[in-house]
Amino acid sequence: MRFAALIAAERLLPAFVALLAIAGCIGEDRAKAASPAANTEAIPLGTGFDFYVLSLSWSPSWCKAYDPQGKTDQCEAGGRRRGLVVHGLWPQYESGYPENCPSQAPRRVPEALGRQYLDLIPSMGLIGHQWRKHGTCSGLGQADYFAVTRIARERLAIPPDLLSTGQSRDLSVSSIEMAFVEINPGMTPQMIAVTCEGRLLDEIRICFDKELNFRICPQVDSRACRRSAVDLPRAQ
């Protein structure tokens, strides 16, 4: 009986080994799918500048100051729950920045292209303005410039305190910076600047290199808000 059992086990062993190999391959494939490196998109590389600033605007501050009646696309009733929205992706020099550069690309952004990015930049007018002022200085065509803008935004995690727009609150500038640093590996306080208009939170500016890795930007950081705390108005 023992001999028969051993023979049966030997016959089953190759099948068992094959099953282990298949399971290992499946596990490896799943690990690759979950790995950020495996899902990294090819990033069109810009030219003619040193680095990018991704500028995120606190939408309730802008609407409170410039459109309290909710007449614009950004502030109308359907968009009032917006918090941080993309203001733009700005090519920068180590000192200063280019703007309104000559470009062979059209000045106008076609609606078919712009509407793909309304979830990030909530108005066609702002999309067109950002292309003309900043995108033309990126060395990229329109489609690539806005594709890089999306990739930059998707690489940035937003702290939970800045996802809620239901109530007004005060936050210290240092706590906002540290909240970003804590949930974005590789970021340091020298790579982020919080700006304000009076007491209101205006923008959060994040510095990226051309391959969209976080990088230091002393001049951008030096222009940060000098207040110790800022007010985040609620969405109206």
Side-chain angles (χ1 to χ4, degrees), residues 120-202:
L120 298 182
I121 308 174
S123 100
M124 282 296 299
L126 181 55
I127 287 171
H129 174 74
Q130 291 304 306
W131 164 252
R132 288 186 293 275
K133 185 173 182 179
H134 301 289
T136 55
C137 301
S138 67
L140 300 171
Q142 290 182 348
D144 281 346
Y145 170 71
F146 288 109
V148 172
T149 300
R150 182 177 293 283
I151 296 169
R153 171 62 187 85
E154 290 178 350
R155 288 198 171 187
L156 183 70
I158 304 296
D161 277 349
L162 293 171
L163 292 174
S164 171
T165 61
Q167 60 183 5
S168 298
R169 57 207 185 277
D170 289 338
L171 293 176
S172 72
V173 170
S174 61
S175 72
I176 293 173
E177 290 186 349
M178 290 311 301
F180 274 92
V181 168
E182 288 172 0
I183 64 171
N184 286 282
M187 184 185 290
T188 70
Q190 293 74 35
M191 302 172 180
I192 178 173
V194 176
T195 70
C196 55
E197 285 288 340
R199 285 191 53 83
L200 298 181
L201 171 63
D202 182 27

Side-chain angles (χ1 to χ4, degrees), residues 14-227:
F16 180 68
V17 170
L19 286 172
L20 286 177
I22 292 170
C25 290
I26 292 172
E28 184 179 349
D29 289 343
R30 287 178 177 172
K32 287 180 179 178
S35 167
N39 295 328
T40 299
E41 298 181 55
I43 299 169
L45 291 181
T47 58
F49 62 98
D50 296 317
F51 65 98
Y52 289 114
V53 166
L54 177 68
S55 177
L56 304 179
S57 172
W58 183 248
S59 189
S61 292
W62 191 90
C63 293
K64 180 176 182 178
Y66 299 105
D67 186 20
Q69 302 303 316
K71 295 181 179 180
T72 62
D73 291 340
Q74 181 171 341
C75 306
E76 48 83 29
R80 287 182 182 175
R81 297 183 64 83
R82 293 188 179 102
L84 287 171
V85 299
V86 174
H87 183 174
L89 183 70
W90 305 339
Q92 304 281 296
Y93 299 136
E94 296 296 347
S95 179
Y97 56 88
E99 58 181 331
N100 296 306
C101 299
S103 173
Q104 294 183 349
R107 301 284 290 174
R108 180 181 175 276
V109 176
E111 186 168 347
L113 174 62
R115 292 189 70 83
Q116 297 176 39
Y117 294 92
L118 287 174
D119 59 317
L120 298 182
I121 308 174
S123 100
M124 282 296 299
L126 181 55
I127 287 171
H129 174 74
Q130 291 304 306
W131 164 252
R132 288 186 293 275
K133 185 173 182 179
H134 301 289
T136 55
C137 301
S138 67
L140 300 171
Q142 290 182 348
D144 281 346
Y145 170 71
F146 288 109
V148 172
T149 300
R150 182 177 293 283
I151 296 169
R153 171 62 187 85
E154 290 178 350
R155 288 198 171 187
L156 183 70
I158 304 296
D161 277 349
L162 293 171
L163 292 174
S164 171
T165 61
Q167 60 183 5
S168 298
R169 57 207 185 277
D170 289 338
L171 293 176
S172 72
V173 170
S174 61
S175 72
I176 293 173
E177 290 186 349
M178 290 311 301
F180 274 92
V181 168
E182 288 172 0
I183 64 171
N184 286 282
M187 184 185 290
T188 70
Q190 293 74 35
M191 302 172 180
I192 178 173
V194 176
T195 70
C196 55
E197 285 288 340
R199 285 191 53 83
L200 298 181
L201 171 63
D202 182 27
E203 294 183 346
I204 294 170
R205 297 173 179 172
I206 311 293
C207 298
F208 290 92
D209 65 20
K210 293 179 183 180
E211 296 180 340
L212 300 184
N213 303 300
F214 300 125
R215 60 153 282 173
I216 61 171
C217 44
Q219 189 175 81
V220 175
D221 192 38
S222 71
R223 295 173 179 167
C225 183
R226 297 305 175 195
R227 305 184 68 90

